[in-house]
Amino acid sequence: MVKDHAIDAVILYDGGTDSLVVGDEEGLGDPIEDAVSLIAVHNLSASVKERILITIGFGSDRFNQVSDASSLRAVAELTSLGGFLGSISIERGSPGHQLYRDGVDHIYKNQNFRSVATGVILSSIDGHFGYVVPPGLEKRVQPGDVYLWPLMAMLWTFDVNIVFQRSQICQWIKDAPTIRSQAGMLSDGRTRMAKANQLRKVENFPTQESMT
């Protein structure tokens, strides 16, 4: 496909930040599907000059046990490795915001499923903050399940190859031929880390009181 269509750039999108996990975090979200995408794009031919990962909805994976502090540590580590390419916010009322909302409205007219990531992104763009249940998610999200903040309305960009190289999960599963074997290799890798006492505890931000 790359050769037939002269593709020279591939952009991956992740709603949330579990694509940035290494594998030693306490909570991983749903990392295998992201790792498979990273592996596939990393393995493309050299003619693909640009390989970019964009994440949006920073903090939405807290719903899937991914720590926000862990995700920001990942950004810092990728920055030090030269893999963070910058970020930009989606401004309320901007053409990009309207295009996104129109696209979501069209999809939701044709399906019953409601995405938590999409709900928190749109609500954060609208300026909601704190423990707010986004409109339309009342059947999926309970009060206290998600914490809205402006970082959810930002696009964070990364070099796919550097994210791949940092990820232990990518290294564990890159040769796995099936979904079942990928899950098994992830579990085996986590078990080895646990035996070596290399798994992290839940990462949290310091409280304001602890800083004074």
Side-chain angles (χ1 to χ4, degrees):
M1 182 182 293
V2 168
K3 182 178 180 180
D4 291 345
H5 298 281
I7 295 172
D8 60 3
V10 176
I11 299 175
L12 297 175
Y13 281 89
D14 179 23
T17 52
D18 51 358
S19 57
L20 305 181
V21 300
V22 168
D24 62 350
E25 297 86 354
E26 192 277 337
L28 300 179
D30 300 308
I32 290 180
E33 60 193 53
D34 296 308
V36 169
S37 296
L38 291 167
I39 293 165
V41 174
H42 171 77
N43 287 338
L44 292 175
S45 68
S47 62
V48 180
K49 304 301 182 184
E50 300 292 339
R51 309 167 197 225
I52 297 171
L53 167 67
I54 298 178
T55 69
I56 186 172
F58 199 115
S60 62
D61 275 324
R62 183 186 295 186
F63 187 71
N64 292 321
Q65 289 75 55
V66 176
S67 159
D68 293 341
S70 172
S71 296
L72 283 174
R73 175 178 56 77
V75 174
E77 291 179 358
L78 286 163
T79 299
S80 69
L81 294 170
F84 176 50
L85 305 179
S87 59
I88 188 171
S89 294
I90 300 177
E91 299 177 24
R92 186 182 187 189
S94 67
H97 175 213
Q98 191 59 52
L99 183 65
Y100 183 43
R101 184 174 292 280
D102 289 346
V104 171
D105 288 344
H106 174 75
I107 292 170
Y108 282 179
K109 287 178 182 177
N110 295 279
Q111 69 176 33
N112 293 323
F113 176 78
R114 297 293 183 264
S115 164
V116 173
T118 297
V120 300
I121 291 166
L122 288 172
S123 291
S124 63
I125 293 173
D126 286 339
H128 294 288
F129 182 83
Y131 291 112
V132 178
V133 176
L137 290 179
E138 293 82 3
K139 293 182 179 180
R140 293 200 65 197
V141 175
Q142 301 299 314
D145 282 350
V146 295
Y147 191 89
L148 306 186
W149 60 348
L151 273 65
M152 290 173 170
M154 296 175 65
L155 300 167
W156 305 69
T157 60
F158 305 91
D159 184 313
V160 164
N161 287 336
I162 296 178
V163 176
F164 166 85
Q165 292 161 6
R166 176 178 171 272
S167 169
Q168 281 294 323
I169 297 174
C170 286
Q171 313 314 314
W172 291 336
I173 74 169
K174 62 183 179 181
D175 297 319
T178 66
I179 294 175
R180 184 182 297 274
S181 60
Q182 289 165 357
M185 289 180 177
L186 172 59
S187 178
D188 290 345
R190 294 274 288 177
T191 298
R192 291 193 298 271
M193 278 190 161
K195 290 181 178 178
N197 197 31
Q198 294 175 334
L199 292 181
R200 298 175 183 268
K201 296 181 180 179
V202 177
E203 297 174 77
N204 292 304
F205 296 119
T207 63
Q208 187 64 30
E209 289 80 3
S210 69
M211 302 295 289
T212 58

